[in-house]
DNA sequence: TTTAAGAAAATGAATAATTATTCATTTTCT
DNA sequence: AGAAAATGAATAATTATTCATTTTCTTAAA
């Protein structure tokens, strides 16, 4: 079949990434053996090194590719909405929707990734900044529209909001009884607090 | 000198903890060798194992003891203040004050600790919950006083606030140019947003 | 269509490097 | 003298990574 070689290559690469997400989410990054990932992906250990420089590169690739995917989805959702207030609420809601939709990926991105010393200390997470930029852009829009307080620094605000979203997601992921963090209510409450705090009186 | 043996023991234990904070803050947890810590503490490698079960136990001990210390300080500061609104602002301010006062410790608690798989996955961080409880208690007080919205869930709010404080501290710690996060302004902005979002109209 | 040579991809057993931890010995204290 | 504390060289266990070998794919000549 024409092109089947290339397609199979992609399949194999995808299989490795998917297997890594699954295994790392289940056993944690440090306990996830390359051989575990290889087994789940149905490839030999060595094959992984044809596609990734080393174990950590798998983690960083997951981050980069999945974040870009997420950013695309969120941007698309936001395009359908006008008005800074509703757009901010949509952003908050989408964050939780995506976490719930892909809990294994969320665990890797929000918990395991941070056990990579390299990621924390040296890596420039461009796509994280792109994600944050979505939030700060909404703030700026709102300030231009006059619905958001002009004295709020979008840079500080974006980190506050991200911190809150992130922490609550992490607690949801880690909690055994996830009912303690009902997403619908969590999103509504965060949205309500941040929005009230942000809007002009 | 009477009691000098016991005091020296404590000295040695304290020296190890202080050395660990210093070395881990500088090199990161995984690159911090037991022998590095021992050297800075002026003890033999083996001596560390007379005081701590293993490397991770040092990290957990730092967490427990320093968090208790922090909680004591913050509680003391709060005791001097009445009114839920001012108490919440004080809590926020204190968080940043302590981070700036002990940047190496903050780095260990807020960044390196989270590279401990055990801490993330199995450990019950009682003293973190005690710290969060300070926040949620203030909310409840405010709700009873009638100055805070009764529809806000203190449990969700405490995590949102903590997430925001934590994320901004982390960014301050990691940023080369810390001027990008002027603490005074950051504390003021977070306080302003969370308070406006929380107060009854 | 068949074949075969060479290239590319995949394999997985062997390796190599690392460093937390131990413990036989020494030093200090009571 | 005996106990307690401290030492630091030796150990032991781990697993990511490598690479010699095998398998699969590609191409083009017969």
């Amino acid at each position: 079949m024409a092109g089947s070689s290339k397609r199979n290559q992609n399949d194999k690469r995808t299989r490795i990434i998917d297997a890594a997400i699954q295994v790392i989410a289940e056993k944690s990054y440090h306990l996830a053996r390359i051989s575990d990932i290889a087994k789940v992906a149905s490839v030999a250990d060595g094959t992984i090194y044809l596609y990734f420089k080393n174990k950590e590169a798998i983690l960083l690739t997951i981050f980069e590719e999945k974040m870009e995917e997420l950013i695309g989805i969120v941007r698309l959702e936001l395009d359908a909405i006008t008005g800074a207030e509703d757009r901010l609420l949509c952003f908050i809601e989408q964050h939780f929707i995506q976490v719930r939709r892909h809990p294994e990926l969320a665990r890797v991105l929000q918990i395991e990734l941070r056990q990579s010393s390299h990621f924390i200390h040296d890596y420039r997470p461009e796509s994280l900044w792109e994600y944050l930029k979505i939030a700060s852009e909404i703030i700026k829009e709102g300030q231009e529209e006059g619905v958001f307080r002009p004295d709020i620094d979008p840079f500080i605000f974006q980190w506050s909001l991200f911190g809150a979203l992130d922490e609550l997601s992490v607690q949801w992921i880690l909690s055994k009884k996830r009912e303690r963090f009902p997403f619908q209510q969590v999103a509504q409450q965060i949205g309500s607090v941040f929005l009230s705090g942000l809007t002009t009186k």
Side-chain angles (χ1 to χ4, degrees), chain A:
Chain A
M1 262 174 283
S4 77
S5 158
K6 189 61 181 294
R7 180 163 346 106
N8 285 342
Q9 272 186 42
N10 286 337
D11 279 357
K12 205 160 282 189
R13 202 189 116 98
T14 305
R15 286 215 313 273
I16 293 170
I17 288 182
D18 291 344
I21 293 171
Q22 188 183 318
V23 173
I24 292 171
E26 188 191 341
K27 316 182 71 160
S28 90
Y29 178 63
H30 288 298
L31 294 180
R33 306 288 153 233
I34 288 289
S35 54
D36 297 328
I37 296 170
K39 196 179 294 170
V40 171
S42 305
V43 297
D45 294 15
T47 304
I48 289 180
Y49 290 85
L50 300 175
Y51 293 88
F52 301 94
K53 192 164 137 279
N54 51 37
K55 189 180 172 184
E56 196 167 43
I58 304 174
L59 208 51
L60 297 185
T61 301
I62 291 171
F63 172 74
E64 282 168 12
E65 297 188 357
K66 296 298 179 178
M67 280 301 290
E68 286 303 330
E69 223 175 293
L70 173 66
I71 288 163
I73 291 170
V74 173
R75 278 237 149 90
L76 209 64
E77 291 286 334
L78 284 172
D79 279 349
I81 296 174
T82 53
E85 291 177 284
D86 284 342
R87 283 164 66 78
L88 190 66
L89 289 178
C90 173
F91 177 76
I92 292 169
E93 210 167 40
Q94 276 300 313
H95 184 95
F96 291 117
I97 286 174
Q98 296 306 322
V99 169
R100 184 167 48 187
R101 188 166 293 163
H102 307 288
E104 293 188 336
L105 176 61
R107 182 179 276 264
V108 174
L109 294 181
Q110 300 197 254
I111 297 171
E112 303 304 328
L113 190 63
R114 293 160 204 199
Q115 292 186 43
S116 157
S117 197
H118 176 237
F119 180 80
I120 297 296
H121 294 100
D122 314 313
Y123 186 70
R124 311 272 81 191
E126 300 289 347
S127 46
L128 175 60
W129 293 334
E130 205 184 328
Y131 186 67
L132 288 162
K133 206 172 154 213
I134 298 176
S136 61
E137 276 172 2
I138 295 175
I139 311 309
K140 285 174 193 161
E141 285 163 29
Q143 289 175 329
E144 283 163 20
E145 290 172 21
V147 294
F148 288 167
R149 292 164 52 183
D151 64 313
I152 295 299
D153 180 340
F155 182 78
I156 296 174
F157 188 91
Q158 71 178 359
W159 282 111
S160 307
L161 178 60
F162 177 74
L165 297 179
D166 185 67
E167 187 66 52
L168 274 158
S169 308
V170 166
Q171 295 309 319
W172 181 80
I173 293 165
L174 291 178
S175 65
K176 312 291 177 198
K177 322 179 301 167
R178 293 187 171 168
E179 315 82 56
R180 192 70 192 81
F181 296 89
F183 262 155
Q184 199 55 47
Q185 199 195 336
V186 169
Q188 183 270 320
Q189 293 250 326
I190 293 194
S192 170
V193 167
F194 275 92
L195 211 55
S196 305
L198 198 56
T199 43
T200 51
K201 314 247 161 52

